[in-house]
Amino acid sequence: MINPLGVGALAVSAAVRSGICQYQETGNISKDYQPFKMALVPDECLPELDRQIGRGKSPYYQRLIQLTNIAILQACNQLDSSQPLPLMLALPSEQNLAVALDADSLLLDIVRSCQDLIDFSASRHFRLGRAAGIAAFQAGLELIESGISDAVLIGGVDSYLDLMQLALLDRQQRLLTATSMDGFVPGEGAAFFVLSREPNGKVTLGPPGLSDEPGHIYSQEVCLGDGLSNAIRSALTGITQPVKTVFSSFNGEHANGKEWGIALSRNSQNIDEAFIMEHPADCFGDLGAATVPTLMILAYLGLLRGHYASPLLVWSASDFAERGAITMTLND
């Protein structure tokens, strides 16, 4: 894992639990002449790229490779096997027209930068924004259940450090400034974990829930909360105890508040009345497509160390229609 709070999952987990915030005012000025905040990874934390990798591509494209490279190496260094793993990669939404991203080339360049750690032929990318990590997890799970692979590398990468993207968000009044409180702090990061067929795992993952919300923030339709409600309902299938901890993709915008309220009401029979809500974007900003794998890793570490009560629900809502959720239960 890497994001504005640090390099490595343990460092980020400790910073989140301590409430450390890496929001910083930038020199970028909004259309209302107000500086807006961002949460960025210091350049000195990023590895140098081979000159042939990402050659001729934008700084944004190259930054995604740098963020991914350092997080994947961390994950794979903990493995005993040197066999290349399939990669299920969550990426920014293809509907985000402000980001010109050649996802196929990016996946290939990531494989090239990771020193034979990834099986490119079995790898896929998912351009669904914040909820993309759930789709990546679902695809990785299917790969394991089919017997094609015993282990899969799952994760995501994203960055808002792109002038076209920031300009669009500014015009849409979605950035947090002194005059606009209904906004978010753009962040960046990457997070990866290995999903394997381990018979004695310490945490059980429930079925992934994916659904679409017609009334998303870029739609003319009214948000009825069906997408998030259905995704959470699917994720709660088979749960034997009510959820006690919730990890969400809340980033400070008000849009998801109504959605979550509806989803909570519709699934209240499976969620404890005294549940604890965690929304780490308060510390590291909005991580976009890296949100779900980051939340899952933080939740996993927290469950093992007794910081969070089990069962635990992770949910995330993209800017567009996609909504995703999954449960994590500490085994006895």
Side-chain angles (χ1 to χ4, degrees), residues 86 122 138-152 197:
Q138 185 176 57
L141 182 63
E142 291 171 355
L143 208 58
I144 291 175
E145 291 179 340
S146 68
I148 295 176
S149 180
D150 290 331
V152 180
R197 191 195 305 274

Side-chain angles (χ1 to χ4, degrees), residues 48-280:
E48 289 188 15
L49 287 180
D50 185 292
R51 292 183 178 179
Q52 298 305 312
I53 297 177
R55 186 176 181 181
K57 300 291 186 178
S58 68
Y60 168 77
Y61 180 102
Q62 294 176 350
R63 195 170 185 89
L64 293 183
I65 298 175
Q66 290 175 298
L67 290 166
T68 304
N69 179 273
I70 194 168
I72 286 180
L73 289 178
Q74 289 172 23
C76 291
N77 283 341
Q78 300 178 47
L79 298 177
D80 296 329
S81 173
S82 59
Q83 183 177 357
L85 298 177
L87 170 62
M88 301 295 118
L89 180 64
L91 290 175
S93 174
E94 60 187 352
Q95 297 184 68
N96 184 353
L97 301 181
V99 177
L101 182 63
D102 184 341
D104 292 333
S105 294
L106 179 67
L107 180 58
L108 178 58
D109 279 334
I110 287 172
V111 173
R112 292 170 60 200
S113 74
C114 288
Q115 306 170 2
D116 301 321
L117 296 174
I118 300 171
D119 177 3
F120 177 72
S121 63
S123 299
R124 295 171 59 191
H125 59 73
F126 302 84
R127 296 202 58 188
L128 302 173
R130 284 188 213 94
I134 298 294
F137 175 87
Q138 185 176 57
L141 182 63
E142 291 171 355
L143 208 58
I144 291 175
E145 291 179 340
S146 68
I148 295 176
S149 180
D150 290 331
V152 180
L153 185 63
I154 296 172
V157 63
D158 208 339
S159 175
Y160 285 94
L161 191 56
D162 177 84
L163 292 180
M164 290 290 290
Q165 188 169 198
L166 291 171
L168 177 61
L169 291 168
D170 181 28
R171 289 198 300 273
Q172 296 168 343
Q173 295 185 307
R174 293 188 59 197
L175 298 177
L176 184 66
T177 68
T179 58
S180 176
M181 300 308 293
D182 185 11
F184 73 94
V185 172
E188 61 180 358
F192 292 85
F193 61 87
V194 176
L195 180 68
S196 64
R197 191 195 305 274
E198 185 178 341
N200 299 313
K202 298 177 181 178
V203 171
T204 296
L205 298 169
L210 274 170
S211 188
D212 286 345
E213 172 53 60
H216 57 82
I217 62 174
Y218 289 117
S219 169
Q220 296 299 316
E221 297 189 37
V222 176
C223 178
L224 300 178
D226 294 338
L228 186 58
S229 296
N230 294 336
I232 291 176
R233 183 178 299 112
S234 297
L236 294 174
T237 301
I239 197 168
T240 59
Q241 299 180 53
V243 166
K244 293 181 173 60
T245 308
V246 177
F247 269 68
S248 78
S249 64
F250 278 138
N251 64 359
E253 292 185 289
H254 297 161
N256 287 146
K258 174 185 175 183
E259 240 183 305
W260 164 244
I262 296 171
L264 175 60
S265 175
R266 293 178 181 174
N267 292 282
S268 59
Q269 69 277 12
N270 287 317
I271 300 178
D272 194 291
E273 291 184 0
F275 75 91
I276 301 299
M277 171 70 83
E278 300 288 340
H279 33 85

